[in-house]
Amino acid sequence: MRKIVRYKFDPANPPPLTEVQKAEIAALKARSEDDVDTSDIPELSEEFWQSAVRNPYFKPIKQQLTLRLDSDLVAWFKRRTPDGRGYQSAINKALREYVAKQDRKAG
């Protein structure tokens, strides 16, 4: 019978790299772009990127913080979510949309 081994990994605090890993990264950095064989990877067209979508399974790491918002603003978000739940996620989504719009403006 095989024993299951579980590891915990905190992406915000990864373990230090080993000497072998550091050497491998250094070797990869030293390679030129011409040394990389991309013959089995098709070029991606502009059309591909126009219809690309974000990975639906991507979950960014959240950072807990204290943020002071006007009470009427919080009440507005709470009114637009079922039972007042999820209003923080709604605020996060609104901020993300705002940032994306500003990035598009900046070009």
Side-chain angles (χ1 to χ4, degrees), residues 22 34 48 58 89-90:
K22 289 178 185 178
D34 295 333
F48 171 86
F58 170 73
S89 294

PDB file of all heavy atoms in Angstrom, residues 22 34 48 58 89-90:
ATOM      1  N   LYS A  22      19.020  27.125  -9.204  1.00  0.00           N
ATOM      2  CA  LYS A  22      19.696  28.383  -9.559  1.00  0.00           C
ATOM      3  C   LYS A  22      20.605  28.200 -10.773  1.00  0.00           C
ATOM      4  O   LYS A  22      20.665  29.051 -11.658  1.00  0.00           O
ATOM      5  CB  LYS A  22      20.505  28.897  -8.370  1.00  0.00           C
ATOM      6  CG  LYS A  22      19.651  29.425  -7.244  1.00  0.00           C
ATOM      7  CD  LYS A  22      20.536  29.870  -6.075  1.00  0.00           C
ATOM      8  CE  LYS A  22      19.714  30.291  -4.884  1.00  0.00           C
ATOM      9  NZ  LYS A  22      20.564  30.670  -3.736  1.00  0.00           N
ATOM     10  N   ASP A  34      17.927  32.641 -30.314  1.00  0.00           N
ATOM     11  CA  ASP A  34      18.133  31.797 -31.498  1.00  0.00           C
ATOM     12  C   ASP A  34      18.384  30.338 -31.134  1.00  0.00           C
ATOM     13  O   ASP A  34      18.208  29.455 -31.964  1.00  0.00           O
ATOM     14  CB  ASP A  34      19.308  32.326 -32.325  1.00  0.00           C
ATOM     15  CG  ASP A  34      19.008  33.710 -32.890  1.00  0.00           C
ATOM     16  OD1 ASP A  34      17.816  34.028 -33.091  1.00  0.00           O
ATOM     17  OD2 ASP A  34      19.968  34.474 -33.112  1.00  0.00           O
ATOM     18  N   PHE A  48      -5.811  35.441 -33.056  1.00  0.00           N
ATOM     19  CA  PHE A  48      -5.833  34.618 -31.849  1.00  0.00           C
ATOM     20  C   PHE A  48      -5.962  35.493 -30.609  1.00  0.00           C
ATOM     21  O   PHE A  48      -6.770  35.233 -29.722  1.00  0.00           O
ATOM     22  CB  PHE A  48      -4.559  33.763 -31.755  1.00  0.00           C
ATOM     23  CG  PHE A  48      -4.412  33.059 -30.433  1.00  0.00           C
ATOM     24  CD1 PHE A  48      -5.016  31.831 -30.226  1.00  0.00           C
ATOM     25  CD2 PHE A  48      -3.689  33.634 -29.401  1.00  0.00           C
ATOM     26  CE1 PHE A  48      -4.901  31.174 -29.002  1.00  0.00           C
ATOM     27  CE2 PHE A  48      -3.562  32.991 -28.170  1.00  0.00           C
ATOM     28  CZ  PHE A  48      -4.176  31.760 -27.970  1.00  0.00           C
ATOM     29  N   PHE A  58      -8.224  30.853 -13.243  1.00  0.00           N
ATOM     30  CA  PHE A  58      -7.231  31.716 -12.619  1.00  0.00           C
ATOM     31  C   PHE A  58      -7.850  32.417 -11.416  1.00  0.00           C
ATOM     32  O   PHE A  58      -8.909  33.006 -11.493  1.00  0.00           O
ATOM     33  CB  PHE A  58      -6.721  32.758 -13.618  1.00  0.00           C
ATOM     34  CG  PHE A  58      -5.870  33.824 -12.992  1.00  0.00           C
ATOM     35  CD1 PHE A  58      -4.580  33.535 -12.580  1.00  0.00           C
ATOM     36  CD2 PHE A  58      -6.353  35.103 -12.801  1.00  0.00           C
ATOM     37  CE1 PHE A  58      -3.786  34.514 -12.008  1.00  0.00           C
ATOM     38  CE2 PHE A  58      -5.568  36.085 -12.225  1.00  0.00           C
ATOM     39  CZ  PHE A  58      -4.280  35.786 -11.832  1.00  0.00           C
ATOM     40  N   SER A  89     -16.610  41.379  -3.288  1.00  0.00           N
ATOM     41  CA  SER A  89     -16.216  40.864  -4.610  1.00  0.00           C
ATOM     42  C   SER A  89     -16.728  41.783  -5.706  1.00  0.00           C
ATOM     43  O   SER A  89     -16.061  41.983  -6.726  1.00  0.00           O
ATOM     44  CB  SER A  89     -16.762  39.450  -4.813  1.00  0.00           C
ATOM     45  OG  SER A  89     -16.149  38.558  -3.915  1.00  0.00           O
ATOM     46  N   ALA A  90     -17.919  42.348  -5.505  1.00  0.00           N
ATOM     47  CA  ALA A  90     -18.469  43.286  -6.492  1.00  0.00           C
ATOM     48  C   ALA A  90     -17.612  44.545  -6.569  1.00  0.00           C
ATOM     49  O   ALA A  90     -17.368  45.072  -7.663  1.00  0.00           O
ATOM     50  CB  ALA A  90     -19.915  43.630  -6.141  1.00  0.00           C
TER      51      ALA A  90
END
